[in-house]
């Protein structure tokens, strides 16, 4: 049986749906059961209510589990708690969503956090696979209100290119690995979409889909950080985001792989497909 943490989030919920579709025994860990989709999409899925900060609830959720699909915000203490519970309950395998540039000396907090969790996971002796997606297309939903109001959006990534990926393809890869983990033991899969794009390309695709011009307004990382804080983003998150966008401008995310296709057998969705599927969110 597979336990999916973060099962109410965008990657986790779709992974659970795909596992349920394949009729694979699945348990979904949620903090708030009212957020679990349920119904036909999660037909046959067990729901476990748990909290990363309460080890007893994690231990209860882990009983009878062979593989954990670990999806969460990059909070090392919480992810380490999940891993330690997996060890206590005899879990054999962990599939973790991480960051391709995770390292102990990264200038970005979240990347250092992922590196700390990865090191702990490897030290337990558990079998594992790491999935490291490039930027998620679904992150564009954060600028949808601005696009609706001003017919444009601000970003501090300059003309940096990135291999943006639809989170549905991350979910599909995660589900495929979790259903046959031994084939992927010890592997790290950097996951991308099919093409390198810029935010100017994003504006162009939105312009074509919406039928009116959408402007990409370039600002500096410091200006972007201030704008995010003013919009209500917590200061540590805004700082980390601004660091990442500044690195993107320098080419940090300009990489592509064919790992989605090699693992799932299907090509990843393009930016154009993503926008066509979600155009109503930006209109």
């Amino acid at each position: 049986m597979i336990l999916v943490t973060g099962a109410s989030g965008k990657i986790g919920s779709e992974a659970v749906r795909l596992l349920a579709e394949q009729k694979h025994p699945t348990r979904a860990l949620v903090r708030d059961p009212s957020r679990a989709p349920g119904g036909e999409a999660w037909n046959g899925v067990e729901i476990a209510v748990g909290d990363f900060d309460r080890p007893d609830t994690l231990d209860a959720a882990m009983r009878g589990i062979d593989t954990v699909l670990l999806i969460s915000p990059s909070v090392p203490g919480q992810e380490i708690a999940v891993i330690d519970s997996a060890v206590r309950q005899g879990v054999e395998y962990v599939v973790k969503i991480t960051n391709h540039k995770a390292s102990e000396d990264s200038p970005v907090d979240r990347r250092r956090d992922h590196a700390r969790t990865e090191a702990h996971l490897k030290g337990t002796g558990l079998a594992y696979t790491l999935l490291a997606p490039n930027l998620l297309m679904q992150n564009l939903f954060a600028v949808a209100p601005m696009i609706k109001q001003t017919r444009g959006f601000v970003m501090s990534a300059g003309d940096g290119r990135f291999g943006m990926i639809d989170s549905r393809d991350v979910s599909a890869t995660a589900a495929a690995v979790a259903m046959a983990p031994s084939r992927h033991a010890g592997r790290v899969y950097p996951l991308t979409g099919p093409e390198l794009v810029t935010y100017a390309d994003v504006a162009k695709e939105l312009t074509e889909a919406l039928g009116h011009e959408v402007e990409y307004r370039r600002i500096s990382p410091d200006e972007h950080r201030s704008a995010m804080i003013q919009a209500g983003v917590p200061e540590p998150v805004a700082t980390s985001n601004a660091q990442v966008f500044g690195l993107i401008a320098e080419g940090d995310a300009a990489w592509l792989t064919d790992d989605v296709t090699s693992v799932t057998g299907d090509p990843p969705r393009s930016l154009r497909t993503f926008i066509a599927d979600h155009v109503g969110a930006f209109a």
Side-chain angles (χ1 to χ4, degrees), residues 31-261:
R31 186 173 182 175
D32 180 357
S34 69
R35 293 184 59 194
E40 194 66 29
W42 281 19
N43 189 31
V45 173
E46 293 183 16
I47 304 296
V49 179
D51 189 324
F52 290 157
D53 294 322
R54 292 183 55 198
D56 58 317
T57 65
L58 297 177
D59 286 350
M62 291 283 178
R63 292 185 185 116
I65 294 298
D66 302 307
T67 299
V68 173
L69 178 48
L70 177 53
I71 307 167
S72 79
S74 54
V75 179
Q78 293 181 342
E79 292 198 325
I80 287 170
V82 173
I83 293 166
D84 288 347
S85 177
V87 172
R88 288 193 298 272
Q89 297 302 318
V91 171
E92 299 173 358
Y93 209 100
V94 173
V95 182
K96 171 176 159 50
I97 305 295
T98 187
N99 189 288
H100 179 47
K101 299 294 181 74
S103 68
E104 293 180 357
D105 59 355
S106 171
V108 181
D109 290 347
R110 74 183 69 165
R111 294 179 178 179
R112 295 196 301 273
D113 290 344
H114 279 300
R116 178 183 166 193
T117 303
E118 288 179 22
H120 185 82
L121 173 59
K122 293 172 184 177
T124 65
L126 287 169
Y128 68 88
T129 300
L130 302 176
L131 305 180
N134 209 308
L135 274 71
L136 297 181
M137 294 178 187
Q138 278 71 8
N139 291 345
L140 293 173
F141 292 143
V143 297
M146 187 182 301
I147 291 169
K148 290 178 181 180
Q149 293 171 11
T150 70
R151 296 198 171 189
F153 61 94
V154 300
M155 199 64 65
S156 55
D159 293 318
R161 301 190 301 164
F162 39 88
M164 187 174 266
I165 181 169
D166 193 310
S167 70
R168 292 173 293 181
D169 294 318
V170 179
S171 301
T173 307
V177 171
M179 285 190 288
S182 62
R183 301 179 189 174
H184 309 281
R187 297 290 302 273
V188 180
Y189 291 114
L191 305 177
T192 73
E195 61 205 341
L196 291 174
V197 299
T198 68
Y199 279 109
D201 295 322
V202 171
K204 180 180 177 181
E205 293 292 346
L206 285 167
T207 294
E208 293 184 7
L210 295 172
H212 62 74
E213 183 179 2
V214 174
E215 180 185 6
Y216 166 37
R217 306 180 187 113
R218 296 162 177 79
I219 59 176
S220 72
D222 285 343
E223 290 171 328
H224 198 184
R225 176 182 177 276
S226 297
M228 286 186 282
I229 292 172
Q230 188 173 4
V233 177
E235 186 171 345
V237 176
T239 298
S240 182
N241 287 346
Q243 290 173 328
V244 169
F245 288 123
L247 290 171
I248 291 170
E250 298 171 2
D252 179 77
W255 47 273
L256 292 175
T257 73
D258 62 358
D259 286 341
V260 170
T261 302

